[in-house]
Amino acid sequence: MNDVRHILVLPDRDAAEEVAEEVAERLGLAEEPRPVREALAGEDDAEDAQWLVVVDGPEGAYDTAVLEKIAAEHDGWLERE
């Protein structure tokens, strides 16, 4: 089975911290994912940074609809790699 990376993209640190806590709780993760800050390509302004919460796992292990809903509730979205 292949691993999949779910990336929840959030607008600010507070939203990312709330999402990390909620994701860990709702998915029953042993450890809460750590929010990571990522500057947008070509942007030097710190205001133009996004916050990411990354959840790795085997394909099909996590319900993407739940992850999408959590991200959307915090003005974010879900990406998969």
Side-chain angles (χ1 to χ4, degrees):
M1 198 173 257
N2 295 331
D3 280 351
V4 175
R5 175 166 282 176
H6 303 277
I7 303 169
L8 292 90
V9 183
L10 292 308
D12 57 50
R13 183 180 186 153
D14 290 340
E17 288 174 349
E18 289 176 24
V19 165
E21 184 177 328
E22 186 173 346
V23 164
E25 193 174 294
R26 299 237 346 234
L27 299 180
L29 302 178
E31 196 172 306
E32 187 175 298
R34 193 180 91 223
V36 179
R37 188 173 190 180
E38 181 178 275
L40 298 174
E43 296 294 332
D44 294 329
D45 189 356
E47 296 287 326
D48 292 326
Q50 296 173 320
W51 284 85
L52 310 177
V53 174
V54 180
V55 180
D56 293 318
E59 189 167 352
Y62 305 120
D63 186 344
T64 56
V66 170
L67 294 172
E68 287 174 343
K69 182 178 180 190
I70 292 170
E73 289 172 349
H74 296 275
D75 298 322
W77 66 90
L78 175 67
E79 294 182 0
R80 291 180 59 185
E81 285 186 353

